[in-house]
């Protein structure tokens, strides 16, 4: 995630370019933020086409509504808030829907990638979004609060709960994926499992493991959310979107400048 984070942080002053109506403002906007926004959208929608549409629409909105950006320092969070709103205009995918392989057979850590994916998908949407923003995109709690419309204490609590649940989800994935005859209580604990670690199933399995001498030592400790999220798929945004966004944002900028000249 560091590449996406550093690219966004070291980008030109896009807000100033948009305010000034600079000819290259649309290109700067796209190059500085589109890829990171796409990664965020894809994890929410898990469909390249819909994620691309959400990013394009959000960037065009940014060009049209730049006057609303009162503090350029919040530019990145503002863009993510716009794209999050666009994502929520699209149908929510079912749990198993994704157009990108979770892991490939040739990857030596394929099994770990699958466990990481299942663990993240067992969280609720806001938890996933908050941890994604904190890990892959390097957002501060203040920025995450702006994006999710939460006060700072609420953001702190959300992240803490999400990290706790992620650790528990990974623990449940580890326990359920290991066939152990050493623990007679495991069979009862995983009864009714359909292949998806729901919050209810997770709590039941962890409750068993907490008092089981065989299962308890297998639970992970000090799970790194950043490490887990780094194992998730990260499809690339195709280059066709850039031309369209630059054309639309450039058109909006020219219209706004013309209206300002007439005022």
């Amino acid at each position: 995630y560091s590449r996406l984070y550093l690219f966004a942080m070291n980008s030109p002053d896009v807000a100033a370019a948009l305010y000034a109506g600079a000819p290259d403002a649309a290109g700067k906007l796209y190059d500085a933020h589109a890829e990171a926004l796409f990664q965020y959208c894809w994890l929410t929608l898990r469909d390249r086409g819909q994620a691309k549409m959400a990013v394009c629409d959000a960037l065009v909105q940014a060009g049209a509504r730049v006057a609303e950006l009162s503090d350029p320092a919040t530019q990145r969070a503002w863009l993510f808030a716009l794209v999050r709103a666009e994502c929520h205009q699209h149908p929510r995918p079912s749990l198993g829907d994704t157009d990108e392989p979770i892991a490939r057979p040739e990857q030596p850590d394929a099994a770990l990638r699958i466990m990481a994916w299942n663990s993240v998908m067992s969280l609720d949407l806001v938890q996933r979004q908050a941890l994604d923003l904190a890990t892959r995109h390097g957002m501060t709690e203040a920025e995450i609060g702006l994006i999710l419309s939460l006060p700072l204490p609420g953001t702190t609590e959300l992240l803490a709960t999400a990290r706790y649940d992620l650790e528990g989800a990974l623990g449940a994935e580890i326990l359920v994926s290991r066939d152990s005859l050493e623990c007679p209580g495991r069979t009862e604990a995983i009864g009714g499992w359909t292949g998806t670690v729901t919050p209810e199933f997770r709590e039941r399995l962890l409750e068993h493991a907490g008092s089981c001498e065989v299962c308890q030592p297998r639970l992970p400790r000090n799970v790194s959310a950043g490490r887990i999220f780094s194992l998730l798929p990260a499809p690339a945004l195709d280059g066709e979107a850039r031309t369209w966004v630059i054309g639309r944002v450039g058109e909006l900028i020219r219209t706004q400048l013309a209206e300002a000249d007439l005022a």
Side-chain angles (χ1 to χ4, degrees):
Y1 80 92
S2 58
R3 179 172 61 88
L4 294 177
Y5 174 52
L6 291 175
F7 188 35
M9 290 300 290
N10 295 331
S11 65
D13 189 348
V14 180
L18 288 170
Y19 277 127
D24 61 348
K28 286 183 176 181
L29 175 69
Y30 186 94
D31 293 339
H33 299 287
E35 186 177 352
L37 294 171
F38 180 74
Q39 297 296 332
Y40 172 82
C41 288
W42 184 86
L43 189 61
T44 296
L45 300 172
R46 302 195 294 281
D47 179 280
R48 288 185 191 85
Q50 293 192 47
K52 174 180 166 181
M53 189 184 307
V55 171
C56 290
D57 288 347
L59 290 177
V60 170
Q61 276 201 58
R65 298 166 55 184
V66 67
E68 297 176 12
L69 184 60
S70 57
D71 181 2
T74 65
Q75 167 190 282
R76 194 163 60 120
W78 179 65
L79 288 171
F80 271 85
L82 290 177
V83 85
R84 179 174 184 259
E86 287 297 328
C87 281
H88 290 186
Q89 298 299 315
H90 292 258
R92 290 274 297 276
S94 63
L95 193 60
D97 286 348
T98 172
D99 65 359
E100 179 74 8
I102 306 311
R104 301 179 187 278
E106 66 273 15
Q107 292 175 312
D109 58 353
L112 184 56
R113 288 177 180 274
I114 292 170
M115 282 198 290
W117 175 264
N118 290 341
S119 299
V120 170
M121 288 297 110
S122 77
L123 304 178
D124 67 39
L125 178 59
V126 176
Q127 287 181 321
R128 290 202 304 269
Q129 290 178 335
L131 287 179
D132 186 37
L133 291 167
T135 56
R136 297 200 298 175
H137 302 288
M139 294 282 189
T140 66
E141 289 192 3
E143 287 177 307
I144 294 170
L146 288 172
I147 296 165
L148 302 182
S149 299
L150 290 173
L152 188 57
T155 303
T156 302
E157 182 179 356
L158 171 63
L159 286 168
T161 302
R163 290 187 178 103
Y164 176 82
D165 287 346
L166 181 63
E167 182 172 295
L170 180 60
E173 285 290 331
I174 290 171
L175 292 176
V176 81
S177 65
R178 293 183 177 177
D179 186 14
S180 175
L181 299 178
E182 302 173 20
C183 173
R186 176 181 173 276
T187 301
E188 181 179 350
I190 67 172
W193 182 57
T194 60
T196 300
V197 176
T198 63
E200 295 78 15
F201 177 83
R202 179 178 69 215
E203 292 307 314
R204 186 170 82 238
L205 189 55
L206 293 177
E207 183 179 358
H208 158 76
S211 58
C212 175
E213 294 181 357
V214 175
C215 295
Q216 200 275 338
R218 296 178 177 175
L219 294 177
R221 297 286 185 271
N222 301 317
V223 171
S224 167
R227 170 62 175 154
I228 295 298
F229 273 76
S230 74
L231 294 169
L232 302 183
L237 176 60
D238 66 63
E240 294 179 1
R242 188 178 191 275
T243 301
W244 188 84
V245 169
I246 288 175
R248 285 290 295 122
V249 174
E251 180 183 327
L252 287 167
I253 290 174
R254 288 191 294 272
T255 299
Q256 290 166 356
L257 289 175
E259 290 174 350
D261 288 340
L262 292 174

